[in-house]
Amino acid sequence: MTPRTSAYATNPLRHPEDRRLPRIAGPSGMVLFGVTGDLSRKKIMPAIYDLANRGLLPPGFSLVGFARREWADQDFAQIVHEAVKEHSRTEFREEVWRQLSEGFRFVPGDFSDDLAFDRLRRTIEELDVTRGTGGNHAFYLSIPPRFFGDVVQQLQEHGLAEERPGTWRRVVVEKPFGHDLESARELNASIGEVFPSGSVFRIDHYLGKETVQNILAMRFANSMFEPIWNANYVDHVQITMAEDIGIGGRAGYYDGIGAARDVIQNHLLQLMALIAMEEPTDFDADALRIEKQKVLAAITLPKRLDRTTARGQYAAGWSGGVKVAGFHDEEGIPASSTTETYAAITLGIDNRRWAGVPFYLRHGKRLGRRVTEVAVVFKRAPHLPFHASATEELTQNALVVRVQPDEGLTLRFGSKVPGTSMEIRDVTMDFAYGGTFTEASPEAYERLILDVLLGDPPLFPRHEEVEQSWRILDPVLEHWARQDEKGKHKPEPYAAGTWGPSSAEAMLARDGRTWRRP
């Protein structure tokens, strides 16, 4: 009689380590500092509900809110209810909400209030007993970075950061991770005194986006790209994050921060690292981090920053058919502000794969449309055996990764136009997530919060990556600050609804290139 074969041996889809199977968090809870902020209301709370709705949270999951409000538990539950109804991705189901809301608690107090942290400790202990959270808690600091050190010290002093055998404690921090290299090191040191590096999760929500993760799949699951993914074939790379909105009500945060600190230092440099990194040995956190750090360490700045960087401020104009105010007319922005709302920089990578290939990074507000994309632009064919007039409308081949919106990939190449003459024109092959997969992509915060609860850190930048990013950006910021002190070359105005200042166009024109119009 033939021995009965294990189901795992005959069906690899059922292997217990198969990453395609849903990963469900074990007994755990989360403490949310900053529950009254926009991020909590629009992203974090809805993501927690969506995870519960998808069956990815344990039945006893708890959520504790901490803020300076005289709320009872039911008041906090109502706040979460409103946020979920307005912003959740999945449908609202009463039975899911009822089970989830039973684990809601609220602790009033501020970050210097010892009594409040004592109440928080007792609340967590009560949840361990009544909800079965098992001593496993994540502390989400959705608060300004200047308070990170205060909160983690309070957590330590009240025994909240202590991991007992068989339990875990983790801390989640939002960007910005400092405002320069020195402050980033100080911030990392203050958090590192309380939580070990493996328990610190720095949220960069762009790394949780499905299309960003697809960069790794596109590069390393397909043999067609690797042979041409180098300086022999790639002419340059453009990484763009464009927003059609202004600063809104964020003047207090944005003035003094600016486009480069807000987006280039984190989102765009992380995208650059994923595009340029070597193949990791596998996709666990350590292997990915090693390869990203190698790229970041090899990034170089040109010598002439006055010719290879650009910055601007949006002026009044038309956006989406509506007349909008300029940056200096926004409430809370002084007329003397030199904070940039548009930033573009040129970077190189000093290694064998990318030597000589410029990477152009840009971010701006009040631009022509909302779009984030990575465009890998290839060199022209060394010889075109066609009459010059046949290829007048032929540009360079390009592979474009669309991060948002309309997530997908586009490949641009030349094709013959139907007819008797030999005329070649650009065409595109397009892959869109929405048109290929029936399941909607989860929000980035769903993936990242679940990874925190699972203790799975591949999508979270470590402190070494943060410090490398500031090493790259600090000389640019210092160069701009010196220009401001001399009273020359201040941020150039650009009309709202356009694609940025003329200095950014000139930056690429000096290299014989132009920006893409997404």
Side-chain angles (χ1 to χ4, degrees), residues 104-280:
F104 291 168
R105 303 290 187 273
F106 184 78
V107 176
D110 60 39
F111 305 144
S112 61
D113 186 348
D114 288 330
L115 291 177
F117 280 86
D118 275 336
R119 287 193 295 271
L120 178 60
R121 177 179 51 78
R122 291 195 300 271
T123 299
I124 285 176
E125 290 171 351
E126 177 261 322
L127 289 167
D128 286 341
V129 174
T130 61
R131 298 284 292 174
T133 46
N136 303 319
H137 297 274
F139 302 97
Y140 199 126
L141 309 189
S142 180
I143 56 178
R146 66 180 181 274
F147 297 122
F148 288 175
D150 297 336
V151 172
V152 296
Q153 285 299 319
Q154 288 278 38
L155 294 176
Q156 182 183 43
E157 289 174 11
H158 292 83
L160 289 162
E162 182 182 352
E163 293 184 359
R164 295 177 176 84
T167 71
W168 54 257
R169 298 293 166 99
R170 297 170 185 145
V171 65
V172 185
V173 294
E174 283 277 351
K175 75 171 186 72
F177 313 120
H179 60 270
D180 57 16
L181 178 56
E182 182 181 357
S183 62
R185 284 175 172 164
E186 292 173 356
L187 184 60
N188 287 330
S190 66
I191 296 174
E193 289 175 359
V194 180
F195 290 92
S197 61
S199 298
V200 181
F201 290 72
R202 296 166 183 82
I203 288 275
D204 185 336
H205 68 272
Y206 260 66
L207 298 185
K209 290 183 179 294
E210 199 73 35
T211 325
V212 172
Q213 297 168 56
N214 197 43
I215 291 173
L216 299 176
M218 178 268 295
R219 285 196 58 195
F220 302 125
N222 301 291
S223 61
M224 69 180 81
F225 298 118
E226 182 61 21
I228 59 172
W229 211 257
N230 54 61
N232 293 327
Y233 296 94
V234 175
D235 180 76
H236 70 279
V237 179
Q238 297 184 22
I239 304 178
T240 298
M241 179 182 167
E243 296 181 281
D244 55 4
I245 59 172
I247 63 167
R250 301 173 70 218
Y253 162 78
Y254 199 85
D255 190 33
I257 298 294
R261 285 186 174 97
D262 191 39
V263 170
I264 291 180
Q265 182 271 334
N266 38 74
H267 300 330
L268 299 196
L269 282 174
Q270 284 287 323
L271 284 175
M272 180 175 172
L274 292 174
I275 284 291
M277 63 185 267
E278 298 295 327
E279 182 178 357

Side-chain angles (χ1 to χ4, degrees), residues 54-66:
R54 295 166 58 202
L56 301 179
L57 294 183
F61 180 82
S62 69
L63 177 65
V64 181
F66 187 105

Side-chain angles (χ1 to χ4, degrees), residues 244 318-324 366-368 497:
D244 55 4
W318 293 86
S319 178
V322 178
K323 183 74 172 177
V324 296
R366 289 290 186 211
L367 297 183

